[in-house]
Amino acid sequence: MTQDELKQKVAFAALDYIKNVPVIGVGTGSTVNHFINYLADMKGSIDGTVSSSVGTTERLKSLGIPVLDLNEVGELEVYVDGADEINPNKQLIKGGGAALTREKIIAAASKKFICIADDSKRVDVLGKFPLPVEVIPMARSYVARELVKLGGQPVWREGCVTDNHNHILDVHNLTILEPINLEAAINQITGVVAVGLFAARPADVIMVCKGEEIITY
Ligand code: 5RP
């Protein structure tokens, strides 16, 4: 199976978690895009979705799936999203698609966060995938210097402007042994909007596709 076929298979498996759920939080990325395609087939049985990015919103709307404002929906039952890295504690690195801030908001506002991925995303220790940090543009250099003090090597994702009109620093060379502490430390830096470390609020359920098998825990 190709990596994309693995993503498609796990996206299909996630449908088990959205039965009788009226409003579904929807993440961003190529794995979630498969999930959105399946969602289109059952749009008549849901009230709508809450979207984590402009890209996801456009895709949902193009398929006739209603997109609702999180402020009007309140707490979500279920949020389905992908990840760039997953550790054994269900903590994640996300933000490869620059949507980390809205993804984090939806994760925080959801009762159950279902993370779907192909098996290549599983790691023992987070940090090989450069950690995305969304920053207010004028704070970019300052935040970068502070991230160096934390042991990372930040690289500006040039040309990338987030849906919130901010910039992204991708932090290389981190071995994240204490994800909750690092998340808190980065959140403390003035000018940081959000860090793509989902540790204090990890996923609730991991579903990965490995060959023909769906592993759920
Ligand atoms: C976007 C994300 C994605 O969930 C992450 O990048 C995984 O993407 P893909 O499903 O394309 O592998 O965090 O900001």
Side-chain angles (χ1 to χ4, degrees):
M1 267 200 212
T2 64
Q3 192 180 21
D4 195 55
E5 285 166 340
L6 296 172
K7 291 179 180 192
Q8 186 170 7
K9 196 171 159 71
V10 75
F12 181 75
L15 297 176
D16 281 348
Y17 282 88
I18 58 163
K19 289 181 181 137
N20 303 317
V21 176
V23 181
I24 299 147
V26 182
T28 297
S30 54
T31 315
V32 166
N33 284 345
H34 288 297
F35 177 75
I36 294 172
N37 292 340
Y38 290 122
L39 210 50
D41 297 335
M42 51 172 288
K43 62 186 172 202
S45 61
I46 60 169
D47 292 344
T49 56
V50 171
S51 167
S52 63
S53 65
V54 171
T56 287
T57 298
E58 284 171 357
R59 185 172 277 261
L60 289 163
K61 286 187 172 170
S62 74
L63 293 169
I65 303 169
V67 179
L68 308 172
D69 180 347
L70 179 62
N71 294 301
E72 282 161 22
V73 170
E75 190 175 45
L76 291 168
E77 289 295 323
V78 176
Y79 172 46
V80 178
D81 199 357
D84 298 302
E85 278 188 352
I86 304 166
N87 79 5
N89 295 323
K90 304 181 189 174
Q91 295 166 319
L92 316 169
I93 286 183
K94 290 182 48 55
L100 60 147
T101 299
R102 296 187 190 190
E103 291 172 342
K104 243 182 164 173
I105 293 167
I106 299 181
S110 298
K111 280 192 203 163
K112 194 171 268 188
F113 174 6
I114 316 289
C115 178
I116 55 174
D118 65 273
D119 191 54
S120 70
K121 305 292 181 71
R122 288 202 290 176
V123 298
D124 289 329
V125 177
L126 299 171
K128 205 168 202 173
F129 188 93
L131 178 64
V133 181
E134 180 164 352
V135 299
I136 299 290
M138 73 167 287
R140 192 184 67 238
S141 297
Y142 166 72
V143 172
R145 291 193 295 278
E146 294 300 303
L147 290 168
V148 169
K149 290 180 193 166
L150 293 175
Q153 268 190 3
V155 175
W156 176 24
R157 201 184 295 181
E158 278 192 75
C160 174
V161 177
T162 70
D163 291 346
N164 316 304
H165 311 292
N166 296 315
H167 291 175
I168 297 280
L169 293 169
D170 290 308
V171 190
H172 295 248
N173 286 347
L174 291 172
T175 302
I176 307 176
L177 297 174
E178 296 185 350
I180 292 179
N181 290 346
L182 185 65
E183 183 179 17
I186 294 176
N187 278 332
Q188 287 288 346
I189 301 170
T190 303
V192 167
V193 177
V195 52
L197 197 47
F198 287 54
R201 199 283 181 249
D204 298 299
V205 177
I206 303 289
M207 301 181 85
V208 290
C209 189
K210 186 178 184 185
E212 292 295 329
E213 194 188 359
I214 301 287
I215 303 166
T216 305
Y217 51 99

